[in-house]
Amino acid sequence: MSNTIDVQISQLQEYGVVVGRQLTSSFVSFCNDRFFGDRIYVMIDEKVNELHGNRVEEMCKQVFENVRILPVPEGETSKSLSEWNKYINILLEEGVERSTPLMAVGGGVTGDLGGYVAASVLRGIPLLHMPTSLLAMVDSSIGGKTGINHNTGKNLIGAFYQPDAVFTDVSFLKTLEQSEWITGMAEILKYAAIDNPDIFEELEVLVGKSLSPNEQWGKVIRESVRIKVDIVQQDALEAGKRAYLNFGHTFGHALENLTGYGKLSHGEAVFVGMIAATYYSSQLGHPVDDNAFAPFVSFFREQMAELPRNVDKLIDSMKSDKKVKNNTIRLVLLNGWGSPYIHECTNYSLLEDSWEYALARFN
Ligand SMILES: NC(=O)c1ccc[n+]([C@@H]2O[C@H](COP(=O)([O-])OP(=O)(O)OC[C@H]3O[C@@H](n4cnc5c(N)ncnc54)[C@H](O)[C@@H]3O)[C@@H](O)[C@H]2O)c1
């Protein structure tokens, strides 16, 4: 099975996200048509390289004589200036050309770093994404955000740089750990809330069974890709609608901040944040009920670190966000399922109640 979702950013920028299993033939025919050189750079997450590197290399060798594999150390610390510099040096010293493609294979870390290397070397070389984590498949490989962290904050250096194609082979997921499924699932639930509530039911069935890349997971992943593509196409540079993708995230970032990064996963934090945002919306009279998230609570709670209980500190953390102006916190709320909007929050007592409510679900 495979299916291509077209992304049209502008008249000059169009590419496909191929979603399926065993995508060698799609990859080979795309590269044969698109590239004339004999070399490809493959920046691949170190762990993914151990698990799937042979398959990726074999696939590339069907098109390119010279396949240069560059393993990227696992983890967020790889999104740094020093790592970026390391790969830029390798490419330039080896005489990379404007037409030489670079493929990023791995989760969001390798995708963001590899994407930014491709965006910046020689003012941009062709980029391919091959996401291997659930989060990268449904979120980070789509939309063209690339970048690295700075010691003053996350993702502060980077560029919007669209790939030439994305090859989303769901069979990579068979080796993904449960904690990483959770991270990706939070984003899929976000798409359910802001676009297509049918996903709630589909995901409930899947979570009750096994976490393996079967056809049903493929369907949910394809639908998630479609939703992200739809939003990105309308707002590639994040000037408006793309902000809806932050549903649950303003709450979630405050939780991550207070718990300490690394203790609570991003997905767990966003999950709690989505319950708080849904409760807030319902208290404004909008017809949404956070019970939609109930079937997933025990799943997310399983490995969750203890949550901070100090609501004042959580609200202070939300206020300290760089985007907050005049103490007005911008929240993505729901008019109804599938209908997000931006709310300028000045009602801190409702915010407090929403935090209390969401945290109590995890007691
Ligand atoms: N560019 C964007 O639009 C965007 C959007 C969301 C998140 N992000 C970024 O994405 C990053 C998080 O991405 P992530 O959650 O994928 O993290 P990650 O890249 O660190 O991958 C998570 C873990 O999964 C492992 N892994 C990946 N694929 C695997 C597989 N098939 N089998 C076994 N293990 C596998 C990796 O080795 C790693 O340990 C953050 O840096 C975040 O800022 C970017």
Side-chain angles (χ1 to χ4, degrees):
M1 69 166 187
S2 86
N3 205 333
T4 302
I5 298 158
D6 293 322
V7 190
Q8 173 121 37
I9 299 295
S10 69
Q11 278 191 329
L12 294 175
Q13 277 185 309
E14 198 178 343
Y15 60 93
V17 182
V18 189
V19 186
R21 307 165 71 85
Q22 312 297 345
L23 297 179
T24 304
S25 62
S26 311
F27 172 82
V28 168
S29 77
F30 174 85
C31 291
N32 276 331
D33 284 351
R34 169 74 179 81
F35 304 116
F36 299 102
D38 64 355
R39 184 163 40 151
I40 185 169
Y41 283 95
V42 179
M43 285 178 63
I44 180 167
D45 176 286
E46 214 164 50
K47 184 169 165 189
V48 175
N49 193 30
E50 275 166 31
L51 294 164
H52 305 280
N54 288 344
R55 172 149 80 99
V56 173
E57 193 169 356
E58 283 309 308
M59 191 187 277
C60 292
K61 280 194 168 151
Q62 292 191 34
V63 186
F64 303 95
E65 246 168 66
N66 183 349
V67 179
R68 179 78 161 98
I69 302 284
L70 301 172
V72 175
E74 192 192 335
E76 188 68 28
T77 47
S78 278
K79 278 176 57 173
S80 66
L81 271 169
S82 59
E83 283 294 307
W84 171 81
N85 193 35
K86 181 173 105 188
Y87 297 103
I88 292 284
N89 283 342
I90 294 173
L91 266 62
L92 290 175
E93 282 161 13
E94 293 184 3
V96 64
E97 290 172 12
R98 265 267 171 80
S99 57
T100 313
L102 184 156
M103 180 157 77
V105 185
V109 164
T110 309
D112 281 10
L113 171 68
Y116 190 46
V117 169
S120 38
V121 75
L122 302 179
R123 297 199 185 95
I125 60 172
L127 169 67
L128 303 174
H129 278 301
M130 189 168 278
T132 63
S133 72
L134 184 58
L135 176 117
M137 291 184 183
V138 299
D139 191 356
S140 62
S141 65
I142 310 148
K145 277 194 193 175
T146 70
I148 53 177
N149 303 326
H150 185 256
N151 56 20
T152 57
K154 248 179 85 84
N155 297 324
L156 295 184
I157 304 168
F160 284 96
Y161 192 67
Q162 302 294 339
D164 278 31
V166 182
F167 294 96
T168 300
D169 185 337
V170 297
S171 63
F172 280 118
L173 296 176
K174 66 177 182 286
T175 53
L176 197 70
E177 287 181 17
Q178 176 161 334
S179 56
E180 303 304 334
W181 281 87
I182 285 178
T183 303
M185 268 177 53
E187 304 301 335
I188 296 177
L189 287 167
K190 174 186 78 183
Y191 297 133
I194 66 169
D195 191 288
N196 178 0
D198 291 348
I199 297 177
F200 282 122
E201 268 175 50
E202 287 170 37
L203 211 56
E204 185 180 346
V205 174
L206 287 174
V207 170
K209 290 183 185 164
S210 64
L211 298 178
S212 69
N214 52 28
E215 175 56 35
Q216 284 83 2
W217 269 104
K219 188 170 165 254
V220 168
I221 291 168
R222 260 196 299 277
E223 175 61 3
S224 301
V225 170
R226 184 205 58 77
I227 294 169
K228 175 134 191 202
V229 164
D230 191 39
I231 293 176
V232 165
Q233 282 183 152
Q234 295 179 52
D235 178 21
L237 298 179
E238 205 170 36
K241 271 196 167 178
R242 198 160 171 168
Y244 296 157
L245 295 169
N246 287 332
F247 177 66
H249 284 59
T250 311
F251 288 93
H253 288 153
L255 267 179
E256 279 181 294
N257 248 337
L258 246 71
T259 325
Y261 282 91
K263 290 199 181 134
L264 193 68
S265 83
H266 180 69
E268 290 163 343
V270 167
F271 183 72
V272 179
M274 290 192 290
I275 292 178
T278 304
Y279 179 82
Y280 194 117
S281 307
S282 68
Q283 295 306 297
L284 292 178
H286 302 307
V288 283
D289 184 337
D290 66 280
N291 263 330
F293 294 100
F296 309 99
V297 169
S298 59
F299 188 75
F300 275 83
R301 191 161 47 190
E302 214 168 289
Q303 301 179 14
M304 202 183 269
E306 196 166 336
L307 296 176
R309 300 281 154 189
N310 190 328
V311 168
D312 289 341
K313 278 197 177 162
L314 285 164
I315 294 178
D316 283 346
S317 167
M318 288 171 105
K319 283 188 202 158
S320 69
D321 190 296
K322 288 186 192 108
K323 289 175 197 147
V324 169
K325 290 199 181 82
N326 306 326
N327 273 352
T328 305
I329 301 170
R330 296 189 90 208
L331 296 175
V332 181
L333 297 183
L334 300 167
N335 271 314
W337 293 123
S339 174
Y341 73 102
I342 304 287
H343 173 80
E344 309 281 352
C345 163
T346 47
N347 181 352
Y348 292 147
S349 102
L350 181 50
L351 194 57
E352 249 178 73
D353 289 352
S354 305
W355 270 120
E356 299 283 4
Y357 178 87
L359 294 174
R361 304 292 301 261
F362 295 88
N363 265 336

